[in-house]
Amino acid sequence: MDKRFIVLIAVIVVTVASLAVLAGGNMFNVERIGNNSVDQNMTSTALQKIQVIPLSNVNGRIDHMDIDIAGGRLFIAELGNNSIDVIDLVKGKRIHSITGLDEPQGIVFVPESKKIYVANAGDGTVDIFNSDSYALVKTINLSSDADNMRYDSASKLVYVGYGNGALGLIDTATDNLVGSIKLDGHPESFQISHQLKPSIFVNVPGDDSIEVIDSQKLSMVSKISNTDSHYNYAMALDENDHRLFVVYRQPSQLSVIDIDSGKTITKLNVVGDADDIFYDNKNKQIYVTGGEGYLQVISQDGANTYHEVAKMPTANGARTSLFVPETGRLYLAVPAYFGQDAQIQVYEVHKIQ
């Protein structure tokens, strides 16, 4: 038989076999990440893991993060390790560690003053460091459990949740505590708006509510009570559509709330043990990360319409993250749990069509 004919037959057989496999449903590449598998064909167009940065000798829970965009540095609050790690994002490695802290939770980088603000749960302090030398500049003593932090670039204030119910205001020019807003319980995630009045929205799970704060009067003006869902920790904000995104842990649900009326528009099931949620205004997507081990993407089809478009397995306990809209990157903190290595996973985010 002519050799060219044999080669032709072989090519046809391979092609038919390939089509049969595709028809049989095995048309997706599956990558193993930790103990989970991910359907690459369904998720890679939205969430591409482009880098893994090891965090050697970091034990225990990892909490929140912030970024120095111009300097290409990531700051990580390592609560269980009593440390802050500084990561060079270009080199993909740690370049400095600040140790001897007391359960650091919240962290904020203020580029104008070149300072890093760290909220410590253990002793209720805020430590302020020079971001160039990493030297301690000042310590502010609060009552207890200093937690989530936000920097308001308009007012040049750092807000920090602490104690049995308060938001502290730190003037970044003087590094003095210049005010305090009383709340009805310990604050978890909160969002500050420049467009909406009143302008601060605070998750207060101990009070089973979302408290609405007037930033000018420094007082609560209204409250949105939780109904069928409880333990509201993570929160994000869509200022243009006046929508508040609140994640509850019991049950694991996302509530979309109309800020003007205080009413819940819709609810969606989300990953368990969620601790961070971000709204991507450019791509009209919401990102939720939870300790159950998933990174979830929810599409905003309209102000009142949402649906899940991707759910990528990550790692056990990987519940804290940071989305940076300026770079289109999402940083996910993976703790050293269940034999896995502590690391930062970096994802590139795109619109899911």
Side-chain angles (χ1 to χ4, degrees), residues 145-193:
D145 196 8
D147 200 342
N148 277 269
M149 308 184 86
R150 297 286 183 272
Y151 174 55
D152 179 17
S153 59
S155 64
K156 308 298 183 186
L157 294 173
V158 168
Y159 288 78
V160 53
Y162 69 95
N164 293 324
L167 285 182
L169 285 65
I170 300 172
D171 185 341
T172 58
T174 63
D175 290 331
N176 290 329
L177 186 69
V178 295
S180 183
I181 303 170
K182 187 181 184 305
L183 304 169
D184 291 332
H186 179 76
E188 290 297 333
S189 181
F190 59 94
Q191 296 295 323
I192 302 170
S193 172

Side-chain angles (χ1 to χ4, degrees), residues 22-179:
L22 290 176
N26 296 321
M27 58 188 299
F28 299 130
N29 294 322
V30 177
E31 176 189 359
R32 295 294 299 184
I33 300 177
N35 295 321
N36 300 309
S37 61
V38 54
D39 185 336
Q40 288 289 351
N41 199 61
M42 295 187 64
T43 62
S44 62
T45 55
L47 305 170
Q48 296 182 18
K49 188 167 66 173
I50 59 173
Q51 189 179 26
V52 174
I53 303 171
L55 299 175
S56 59
N57 301 315
V58 173
N59 298 307
R61 178 178 146 196
I62 301 175
D63 222 317
H64 298 293
M65 296 174 277
D66 204 1
I67 193 168
D68 170 12
I69 295 176
R73 294 179 297 173
L74 184 70
F75 306 104
I76 309 166
E78 298 158 346
L79 183 147
N81 208 55
N82 293 318
S83 59
I84 298 293
D85 263 349
V86 184
I87 303 298
D88 183 319
L89 292 173
V90 176
K91 296 179 180 178
K93 67 178 185 178
R94 175 196 293 128
I95 56 173
H96 190 80
S97 293
I98 301 173
T99 59
L101 302 174
D102 198 348
E103 298 184 354
Q105 296 190 107
I107 188 165
V108 158
F109 169 63
V110 179
E112 297 92 335
S113 60
K114 295 185 177 181
K115 292 174 185 172
I116 307 165
Y117 295 75
V118 179
N120 294 287
D123 58 10
T125 62
V126 173
D127 287 327
I128 305 170
F129 298 92
N130 181 288
S131 65
D132 290 335
S133 66
Y134 306 111
L136 180 65
V137 174
K138 186 175 183 178
T139 296
I140 298 174
N141 292 295
L142 302 173
S143 61
S144 63
D145 196 8
D147 200 342
N148 277 269
M149 308 184 86
R150 297 286 183 272
Y151 174 55
D152 179 17
S153 59
S155 64
K156 308 298 183 186
L157 294 173
V158 168
Y159 288 78
V160 53
Y162 69 95
N164 293 324
L167 285 182
L169 285 65
I170 300 172
D171 185 341
T172 58
T174 63
D175 290 331
N176 290 329
L177 186 69
V178 295

